[in-house]
Amino acid sequence: MKTVFSGLKPSGDMTIGNYLGAMKHWPDQQGSARTIFFVPNAHAITVRQDPVQLKKRTYDLVAWLLTVGLDPEKSIILVQSRVSAHAEMCWILDNYVTMGELSRMTEYKDKSQKLGPEGQLVGLFNYPVLMAADILLYSSNEVPVGEDQRQHIELARTIAERFNKLYGETFVLPVATMPASGARIKRLDDPSKKMSKSDHPDSFIMLQEPLDSIKAKFKKAVTDSDNTIKYDKTLKPAVSNLLEIYSGFSEESIDVIVDRYTNKGYGELKTDLGELVVEKLSTLQLAFNKIRADEQNLERVISEGSEKAAEIANKKLSEVKEKLGLL
Ligand code: TYM
């Protein structure tokens, strides 16, 4: 049975980009594959976090995983800091990747430029190796992520191939899987950039966005020059982004939506999209609030899931230690 594995960092409020590009698709193979999802909280501390907020956000994320339909009876749900094999495996894999390879990671380049020398922590540089450890510990075949994570998963694959060549078949080679549309949701105020929780509030919609600001944000969203609705990422990046968001929430194909808006203008599309997102997010938020209110249950899900995960991860770690001659 193949293994599907992915995770979400608890470093800020989640946006509809995280949802449409990744999380929404995670329950798809539940029941037909071994599905493992996690909260990489050790990745979050590569930038300074308020400990109280970090704890809260970790529970929030576990509650979101349950809200979107992950079932702890069918999927393993874990928190990274509860399974120490992740950190141990990271140290081992550090010796199978070069500074040059890590320097080429675009996420590191972007973040380190933004943060300046003070923020260029070794942990931030090493972030992709911990990610490789996460993935390889569970023999993951598929890693469903948004486009921005593709390079990290390719690096995990390179590390796995290198290790296998030296010590014989040890790691499964992971593949990044992405939705046909929605893998890179853009900022509402600048469609040339990825929507991200760390930018200006007008540029994103959070999953926990107050419902009354959703419509206003879509109304303010930038559009392209002429007033016809077409899906063309190069010539009409802003409208194409709105269409991807529409399609992600309505579950209709982009062609069907474009047909519906023939002879209609951007204003109408933005108003309708605002209403659609309010409807969908209000349902999700209600479900989330209910699940989030029972922190004891979340704690139980985390401890039981992390225990199951540790069993799998420790086995792989022992196999690797054995191969390396680490007593
Ligand atoms: P994170 O927490 O930044 O994002 C979680 C997921 O959301 C996707 N995503 C997007 N998809 C479409 N459009 C967007 N604007 C958008 N923004 C974010 C991301 O691609 C991701 O799939 N490094 C990872 C966490 C991680 C991980 C792992 C993932 C740590 N170890 C092992 C998979 C496997 C991250 O920071 O995701």
Side-chain angles (χ1 to χ4, degrees):
M1 194 190 268
K2 75 173 171 198
T3 298
V4 178
F5 176 89
S6 199
L8 264 167
K9 219 168 40 214
S11 51
D13 293 312
M14 263 193 307
T15 69
I16 56 170
N18 296 125
Y19 175 67
L20 298 176
M23 201 174 40
K24 172 176 177 256
H25 308 281
W26 292 351
D28 290 353
Q29 298 191 67
Q30 195 171 235
S32 59
R34 180 171 74 160
T35 42
I36 308 178
F37 297 97
F38 85 127
V39 180
N41 56 348
H43 274 107
I45 62 165
T46 54
V47 294
R48 291 286 167 261
Q49 301 288 337
D50 168 1
V52 176
Q53 281 296 318
L54 180 60
K55 219 168 162 178
K56 178 193 159 289
R57 284 182 174 142
T58 305
Y59 284 121
D60 284 351
L61 281 196
V62 173
W64 274 113
L65 295 180
L66 302 181
T67 303
V68 301
L70 292 175
D71 173 354
E73 301 292 319
K74 296 185 186 148
S75 291
I76 296 178
I77 294 174
L78 69 129
V79 168
Q80 193 180 33
S81 59
R82 294 275 176 98
V83 183
S84 56
H86 289 247
E88 278 191 70
M89 186 63 102
C90 176
W91 173 254
I92 292 175
L93 297 183
D94 268 337
N95 302 293
Y96 299 89
V97 63
T98 65
M99 304 268 284
E101 283 169 319
L102 291 182
S103 308
R104 285 194 286 279
M105 295 292 113
T106 50
E107 194 168 300
Y108 176 74
K109 285 197 274 189
D110 291 349
K111 278 201 179 153
S112 62
Q113 201 184 8
K114 259 193 205 165
L115 294 166
E118 296 277 300
Q120 289 163 10
L121 304 173
V122 175
L124 189 71
F125 187 64
N126 205 26
Y127 180 115
V129 188
L130 179 56
M131 203 168 147
D134 301 333
I135 296 169
L136 301 181
L137 274 173
Y138 298 97
S139 305
S140 313
N141 303 89
E142 291 180 12
V143 188
V145 283
E147 180 63 47
D148 61 338
Q149 296 302 314
R150 186 196 288 279
Q151 195 187 25
H152 288 160
I153 290 147
E154 277 166 9
L155 182 72
R157 193 183 166 90
T158 303
I159 295 174
E161 269 175 329
R162 188 169 295 155
F163 195 98
N164 288 352
K165 228 183 228 160
L166 288 166
Y167 305 100
E169 264 330 283
T170 311
F171 294 124
V172 167
L173 305 186
V175 182
T177 56
M178 268 155 237
S181 85
R184 193 175 180 84
I185 298 294
K186 311 293 187 355
R187 290 174 59 148
L188 297 181
D189 61 344
D190 179 357
S192 69
K193 301 201 176 85
K194 181 189 80 165
M195 183 184 283
S196 151
K197 44 208 169 200
S198 51
D199 293 316
H200 189 276
D202 274 350
S203 69
F204 60 76
I205 302 232
M206 297 176 289
L207 278 188
Q208 298 191 68
E209 187 81 32
L211 296 177
D212 52 9
S213 77
I214 295 175
K215 285 186 199 166
K217 282 194 178 181
F218 278 116
K219 260 199 195 121
K220 260 195 260 171
V222 299
T223 39
D224 308 298
S225 51
D226 69 73
N227 200 21
T228 49
I229 293 166
K230 256 196 237 147
Y231 185 72
D232 183 331
K233 280 184 161 179
T234 318
L235 296 176
K236 289 181 158 279
V239 172
S240 300
N241 187 42
L242 296 178
L243 287 168
E244 291 202 23
I245 297 172
Y246 198 125
S247 162
F249 279 106
S250 73
E251 311 274 345
E252 297 165 300
S253 74
I254 287 181
D255 287 347
V256 166
I257 302 163
V258 170
D259 274 354
R260 188 178 315 136
Y261 285 91
T262 322
N263 303 323
K264 292 183 182 168
Y266 295 153
E268 207 164 337
L269 175 72
K270 293 203 281 184
T271 306
D272 293 353
L273 178 56
E275 276 165 21
L276 170 70
V277 175
V278 165
E279 184 199 320
K280 297 288 173 183
L281 285 192
S282 62
T283 312
L284 282 172
Q285 288 177 4
L286 261 176
F288 169 82
N289 290 338
K290 225 168 148 188
I291 294 170
R292 181 65 180 87
D294 189 353
E295 206 165 284
Q296 239 177 331
N297 178 53
L298 297 174
E299 185 47 50
R300 191 182 51 80
V301 168
I302 294 169
S303 12
E304 288 178 12
S306 301
E307 210 172 292
K308 282 187 220 160
E311 230 175 89
I312 303 169
N314 288 336
K315 245 190 227 159
K316 186 51 78 182
L317 183 62
S318 299
E319 182 190 340
V320 166
K321 281 181 168 174
E322 179 67 35
K323 289 195 169 162
L324 295 179
L326 292 169
L327 284 187

